[in-house]
Amino acid sequence: MNVARILAHKGSEVATTTPARSLLDAAADLTRRDIGALVVVDGDDAVVGLITERDIVAAIARHGVEALYDDIARFMTRDPMSVAEDHSLDATMEAMTIERRRHLPVMREGRLAGIVSIGDVVKCRIDEIESERRELFAYIASA
């Protein structure tokens, strides 16, 4: 199982934003789309950062509500860790755990190809385990 398979199931649409937008704009986008992260891209659509719900909460906790009117660039995770489509599910889970990241951009030939969340990875792993369980049950039942 790899990241490409996750994207094939969930789709490769990615919500993006720019570094100059406000944190308030980012919060509104996250809420409207019911997602946890936006990939921050520059004018050439190159990935330059990631802004998450956690980043917004931390910004408000450290700087007060005034932070909501500052640029995303001030609070985003710059040059976020990413994965390629051929990255294995196990390696992706390990990277997310070690780096304490809930969202990873997926890159293809240096371009944004999708995004995976910890929820996507866990769902995929559960589906994999359930499939193995069914196969084992069928094998035992046929013996």
Side-chain angles (χ1 to χ4, degrees):
M1 183 67 70
N2 62 20
V3 171
R5 193 143 174 214
I6 295 172
L7 293 181
H9 182 22
K10 76 170 253 183
S12 58
E13 181 182 342
V14 183
T16 62
T17 190
T18 60
R21 292 189 64 212
S22 73
L23 215 54
L24 184 60
D25 290 336
D29 280 354
L30 292 172
T31 301
R32 186 178 80 256
R33 295 170 184 256
D34 195 26
I35 57 175
L38 296 167
V39 177
V40 184
V41 296
D42 66 13
D44 296 323
D45 285 336
V47 175
V48 295
L50 191 71
I51 190 78
T52 68
E53 295 167 318
R54 282 183 166 189
D55 295 328
I56 295 169
V57 169
I60 294 168
R62 290 184 185 115
H63 305 283
V65 295
E66 298 80 26
L68 291 171
Y69 303 100
D70 286 339
D71 290 349
I72 289 170
R74 181 174 177 199
F75 305 105
M76 70 184 186
T77 300
R78 294 180 185 281
D79 302 316
M81 174 186 213
S82 63
V83 292
E85 292 174 303
D86 63 351
H87 219 81
S88 74
L89 185 63
D90 288 340
T92 302
M93 287 190 304
E94 182 178 348
M96 289 176 141
T97 301
I98 290 170
E99 296 295 322
R100 298 182 50 93
R101 301 285 177 233
R102 293 176 178 236
H103 303 87
L104 296 177
V106 179
M107 305 301 286
R108 179 189 313 128
E109 298 176 8
R111 305 297 292 173
L112 184 61
I115 189 167
V116 291
S117 70
I118 190 68
D120 299 330
V121 173
V122 168
K123 181 185 182 319
C124 189
R125 184 68 179 126
I126 289 170
D127 290 348
E128 193 176 58
I129 291 168
E130 181 58 25
S131 178
E132 289 172 3
R133 185 197 66 79
R134 283 192 305 270
E135 288 174 20
L136 284 170
F137 185 77
Y139 175 76
I140 291 169
S142 69

